[in-house]
Every structure is written in structure tokens, then in C-alpha cells.
Amino acid sequence: MPSDRGLIRARHWLRLSEWADMLPVLAGRAAWRLGPPLVGIALFLALWQVAHWHYGAFILPSPWQTAAATLTALSGLAGWAALGATLARVLVALGLSAVIGGGIGLLAGYVTLIRATLAPVATILLGMPATAWVILTMIWFGPSHGAILFTIAIVTGPILYIGTVDAVRSRDRHLEDMAASFGATALARFHRVALRQILAALGPVIGIALALGFKVAIMAELVTNVAGLGAEMARARAQMDIDMALANVALAVTGLLLIEHLLIRPLQTRTGHWQGPDA
Amino acid sequence: MSGLTLATISHAFAGRRVLDTVSLVIRPGELVALVGPSGSGKSTLAAIAGGILKPDRGRIMRRYARHGMVFQQSRLMPWVDARDNIAFPLRLAGMSADRIAARVQAAAEAVALRRDDLSKRPDALSGGMRARVAIARALAVEPDFLIFDEPFAALDPALRRRMQDLVLSLSGARGFGGLFITHDLSEAARLAHRIAVLDRQGKGITGSLAPPGQPGTRSESAVFDFVETARAEPLLHDLVNVDERALPLESTCDMSGFRRCC
């Protein structure tokens, strides 16, 4: 009979051989998952480089020059302060519009009268160009921190409102009937059954609102010249510093990606994990 | 022992009357199958019996402590696993974690769910397993009355039969009474002490039939013979012969009501 140690060793070998068998499959899966995005990034950088060769560094710096300028911007406190100011504004304004737009959307999703009353208002607000809001808030509030916050909130609020209304309306009400049959109160049905579905449906909408909030923040900062990435871009434009302008664009995109991957994606995963990776 | 009385129940959705003075008495320990054509208001009556809907008129007298309900298409919450789905009504009741774990385990064993099935989410379970989880969820509250709303309608015949056997064995072991909504006469004849027939327009119970013997003791041939004989009964004429295309549109599909089928 084989000893215990022999059995353990045999089990280890078995596991190792299983892993060895699985390795090509896992590598194939990883290549399938990561390959296409990497090819896409490489293609984008290659096109950028070709355009740089064609137009020259004065019009379009190379990706490498832009990366160097980005590092230069981040090597000083001013770069971090600009990035931090824009990020903070986007987060505060998005939180504000989530509370107001999402809150009213929740009410409107449940109450037909509120929904019908607010439908034309939401359509008008959605149709207003972000630039118009920037001009209006400049006149109303002057070039201030509050003006930028208001602009981001008023642009993203209607999106979150409509997203919340749709999320409430598209929830599976059969599940709430099921909960009612087990004696769940209206509050318990909302808290334990409806809210989970609403949050899951809201994930992609929050992602869109975030991206839009960033664009609006930079535009508003650029116009109002209030500290932030937009103001840095305005400065780069005034000094005809194309490297710095692109570095600020790169910082804005990086900031957006950071928030999306550190905040939004985990929230989406947490609230909508049952819908599968492609949902 | 448990029973339920629905007295002169009337209900309307958006001005359209679905149930009109329907009365049904289920005696203690009795399992009554309610049959009727599509759109006759069976599920609305089940929802009223289950406390999901409040009827516009009529009285409900429940002579039991707790009921459990099993729905068509299981109605499991897709974001939690089978264990948490079964535990859902117990958490609603504010039960302690230890008691919940014990109840879930007992309910899962009663419907022959394996331990590894309990950690799967509904999308990883087959139709039959989902039906078992839904029954286990209803059993977890230790009900003395069960309401089934066409729970096996979406299952294939072999699976439906296994689920019927499960209901028979549970009903035999626990002795609960219940209301079983179905449009399948054979299913009703296998499971129920009595078959009540709902009018095609929900205007009351038109009558009852009692298959010979007790549920669980009827042979296949006895069920078959009963169904064949019953098909000729005038009472079941609408159930057997109704063509849903001949029904007015508002009767075939409940847009705003409990089923929200369209």
C-alpha cells in the first residue's frame, strides 16, 4: 500500500498536471479578453504617430512627447491640483445630480402624475446644449466654482432622472408580488426587491453621466478660467503650448478612467453581477 | 388543520371586472384545484387569496396561521443564490441567522435539493431545480396552507410529473390544505381532493368535481378515466372547448392587472 506521503505527492502531481492541461485554455481566454483592446490601443497610437509624422510636432506632438509632457505636469503640485479640482467638481456635481435627478426620477417612476408632469421638462433640459448652460451660468453666477458645479449638475441631472425613471419602470414587478405574498410591507418590497434592480439598471447610466460630467467640467473650466484641467488647457492655448494642451487632455482621460474603474465599475459589479459580464 | 373561505369576491382592473362575486370554500386539509380557461381570473383569485391583491369587494377568511405561495416561472430573485432565495421570507420575518439556516436546510431536504445546488444562482439552475427552490421557499415559512399559481405550466411533461409527485408527497407528509391553480385537467385530477371550475368570465365558481379516491392513491388509469369522463361534462365545456382567439381581446390578456402578461 502506498504511504500517506506518497498519496499526497500523487495528488499534488495530479493537480499540477490538471493545471498544465488548463494552461493553454486559460492563456487562450486571456488572449481573447485582453487581445482586442490591446490591438485597439496599439492601432490608435500608431495612427496618432502617423498623423504626428505628417503634421509635425508643432501641430500634433507624438504620443511619446505627450506622455513626457503629462509626466512633467504631474511632477509639480499644480498639475495634481488641477486634476484634483476637476475630479472633485465632477464627483460633487454628480453626487448632487444623483440625489436630485435620481430622487425625483424615483418618485416619477412610481407616480404617473409626477412622471407625466415632468416629461416635457426633462425633454427640454436634455435638449439644452451644454455650451448654453456654461454661458448662462457665467452670466448668473460669474466665473466661479459654483457656476461649474451647477453646469455639470444641470447637464447630468436629466440623464440620471430619465435613467432612474426607466429603471423603476422596467423592474420585475412579479418579484414584488412574490414578496407581498410572504407579507412584505411596501417599504420592504422597495428596499429588498426593487432597489436592487433599479441600481443594477442605473449602472450604465451613471457611467454615461460621469463621462459627460467630465467633458462639461473641462469645457466650463476652460470658459470660466476657474482652476482645473480646463483652465490649464486655456493657459496652454494662450501660450500655444500644444504639448501641455494634449497632456491635460491625457490627464482628463486618465482621471475619467480612474473614476470609472475605481468607483463606477465596482458599483456596477456589486449591483448587477447577476446579469453576467455582457449585460 | 387549515382552511380558506373566499366570500363574494369581486375585483376589477382599470374598470374591467375580472372577478364577479366569486365564492370558494376550502375545507381544512383539503387541496382544491381551481381550473378555468385563460383570462378567467384564476391567477387574480390566487393573488387575492395570497394577500397580494386586496379585492374591491368580498371577504377572505383565513383559518390558518401562515401560507406559502408558489408561482408560475418560480419568481426567484436572480441576484442571490438558491439558499438566499429560500431564506427570503424568513429574513422578512426577522428570524435569527441560526434559525434561518436550519429552516433553509430542512426545506431544501424536503424538495431534494443538494447542498451544491443551494449556492447556485437561479440562472445556473434548470427549470426543475428552480421549481424546487420556489417550493422550498414556500415550505420554509412552515405554512399550513399553500397556494400554487400554475407553478409547473412552463415545465416539460416529465418534469411536471416529478413536481406533481413532490407536491403529493409533501401534502401527504405535512397534511396542508391548499389552492392549486391550473388549466391542466389531468394535473388537477392527480393532485386535488376537489376540482372547482371558474366561470370563463370570472362570474363565480360554476361547480365542482371530485375525482374518485384520495390524491396520491389514484392510479394512472383512474386519473385518465376521470379526465376522459369529465371532458364530456357541461361544467367543463369552456375549459375544454374555448378557443382563446374567440375571446374578446381584453379577456385574453390582462394588461394592467396582476398577471401583466402583455
Side-chain angles (χ1 to χ4, degrees):
Chain A
M1 269 178 67
S3 66
D4 284 354
R5 192 172 289 176
L7 272 175
I8 290 167
R9 203 174 294 149
R11 266 190 210 140
H12 278 305
W13 274 114
L14 197 65
R15 271 189 206 150
L16 276 176
S17 65
E18 278 171 4
W19 270 103
D21 289 344
M22 286 288 289
L23 218 54
V25 179
L26 293 174
R29 275 186 198 163
W32 183 246
R33 194 163 60 90
L34 298 174
L38 287 176
V39 169
I41 291 169
L43 196 67
F44 175 74
L45 291 175
L47 283 172
W48 183 351
Q49 184 65 40
V50 169
H52 160 71
W53 283 328
H54 186 263
Y55 292 108
F58 184 72
I59 301 293
L60 185 67
S62 68
W64 177 252
Q65 282 170 304
T66 306
T70 309
L71 285 177
T72 309
L74 286 178
S75 61
L77 200 64
W80 285 104
L83 179 63
T86 304
L87 279 178
R89 275 189 201 113
V90 171
L91 286 178
V92 170
L94 214 59
L96 205 66
S97 63
V99 169
I100 298 170
I104 299 173
L106 211 55
L107 277 176
Y110 279 99
V111 185
T112 313
L113 188 63
I114 297 177
R115 188 166 62 249
T117 310
L118 292 182
V121 181
T123 309
I124 291 167
L125 289 180
L126 266 180
M128 284 275 283
T131 330
W133 282 117
V134 175
I135 306 291
L136 286 174
T137 50
M138 273 275 283
I139 296 166
W140 293 339
F141 306 112
S144 63
H145 178 66
I148 299 171
L149 282 183
F150 182 85
T151 310
I152 303 168
I154 199 81
V155 171
T156 55
I159 293 172
L160 289 169
Y161 165 81
I162 286 180
T164 311
V165 170
D166 278 348
V168 173
R169 304 260 297 147
S170 61
R171 75 196 193 278
D172 183 356
R173 281 178 273 182
H174 286 137
L175 290 177
E176 285 165 72
D177 291 339
M178 176 278 294
S181 79
F182 289 110
T185 60
L187 189 65
R189 291 201 295 274
F190 172 73
H191 172 239
R192 290 176 183 266
V193 182
L195 191 59
R196 190 60 189 262
Q197 298 177 70
I198 293 167
L199 285 176
L202 268 179
V205 181
I206 293 173
I208 292 167
L210 172 73
L212 188 65
F214 245 91
K215 287 176 191 168
V216 173
I218 287 168
M219 187 172 60
E221 286 168 356
L222 194 133
V223 173
T224 57
N225 214 10
V226 173
L229 288 176
E232 290 298 308
M233 278 187 211
R235 200 161 60 85
R237 184 195 56 188
Q239 296 170 356
M240 295 295 280
D241 187 347
I242 185 74
D243 288 13
M244 192 46 68
L246 273 181
N248 281 304
V249 172
L251 277 180
V253 173
T254 310
L256 176 65
L257 290 176
L258 275 177
I259 295 189
E260 176 151 3
H261 285 272
L262 293 178
L263 281 178
I264 309 296
R265 290 281 175 92
L267 177 78
Q268 287 174 348
T269 310
R270 197 173 154 76
T271 57
H273 64 90
W274 84 89
Q275 293 171 316
D278 297 327
Chain B
M1 292 293 252
S2 52
L4 172 73
T5 302
L6 302 168
T8 60
I9 300 289
S10 295
H11 196 70
F13 288 120
R16 185 173 66 83
R17 183 153 287 196
V18 179
L19 295 171
D20 193 358
T21 54
V22 177
S23 296
L24 177 67
V25 177
I26 299 173
R27 289 185 286 273
E30 185 185 32
L31 186 62
V32 171
L34 181 68
V35 297
S38 293
S40 58
K42 302 186 296 290
S43 288
T44 304
L45 196 65
I48 287 169
I52 298 169
L53 281 178
K54 200 166 176 283
D56 294 341
R57 273 203 299 263
R59 287 186 67 200
I60 307 161
M61 282 156 278
R62 297 186 175 97
R63 279 163 291 152
Y64 55 78
R66 280 174 305 280
H67 68 237
M69 199 160 173
V70 185
F71 299 88
Q72 191 177 359
Q73 288 159 353
S74 306
R75 296 197 192 173
L76 302 178
M77 294 181 295
W79 56 88
V80 287
D81 60 18
R83 180 179 286 106
D84 285 338
N85 266 295
I86 298 170
F88 177 70
L90 307 176
R91 293 216 169 92
L92 276 179
M95 208 173 267
S96 70
D98 290 348
R99 284 185 69 201
I100 288 174
R103 287 270 194 105
V104 168
Q105 192 57 39
E109 278 170 17
V111 298
L113 275 171
R114 292 196 306 267
R115 184 177 285 271
D116 56 325
D117 293 327
L118 289 177
S119 48
K120 288 179 185 163
R121 286 209 307 258
D123 59 356
L125 294 169
S126 65
M129 286 310 212
R130 283 200 288 269
R132 282 178 200 271
V133 174
I135 297 172
R137 179 177 60 193
L139 292 178
V141 297
E142 295 186 351
D144 32 14
F145 193 86
L146 272 173
I147 300 163
F148 297 87
D149 181 13
E150 299 192 49
F152 314 134
L155 302 181
D156 63 67
L159 204 50
R160 193 183 308 164
R161 206 179 155 71
R162 279 218 298 277
M163 292 299 122
Q164 289 167 3
D165 290 339
L166 181 63
V167 171
L168 281 173
S169 70
L170 289 169
S171 156
R174 302 183 180 213
F176 52 70
L179 175 64
F180 197 103
I181 309 291
T182 181
H183 55 252
D184 181 351
L185 200 52
S186 302
E187 186 171 62
R190 279 198 86 208
L191 296 179
H193 293 93
R194 180 162 60 92
I195 301 170
V197 184
L198 186 61
D199 175 71
R200 64 182 279 187
Q201 291 179 323
K203 292 179 178 170
I205 302 290
T206 51
S208 288
L209 295 168
Q214 292 295 307
T217 61
R218 294 173 192 135
S219 66
E220 290 307 308
S221 59
V223 170
F224 181 80
D225 291 344
F226 170 78
V227 170
E228 286 304 301
T229 314
R231 279 177 179 278
E233 289 266 350
L235 185 62
L236 294 173
H237 178 268
D238 282 342
L239 179 71
V240 176
N241 298 302
V242 77
D243 179 356
E244 76 286 354
R245 290 168 300 184
L247 287 170
L249 187 63
E250 70 271 19
S251 311
T252 55
C253 203
D254 174 7
M255 305 261 299
S256 56
F258 168 64
R259 298 294 298 276
R260 300 182 189 105
C261 61
C262 298

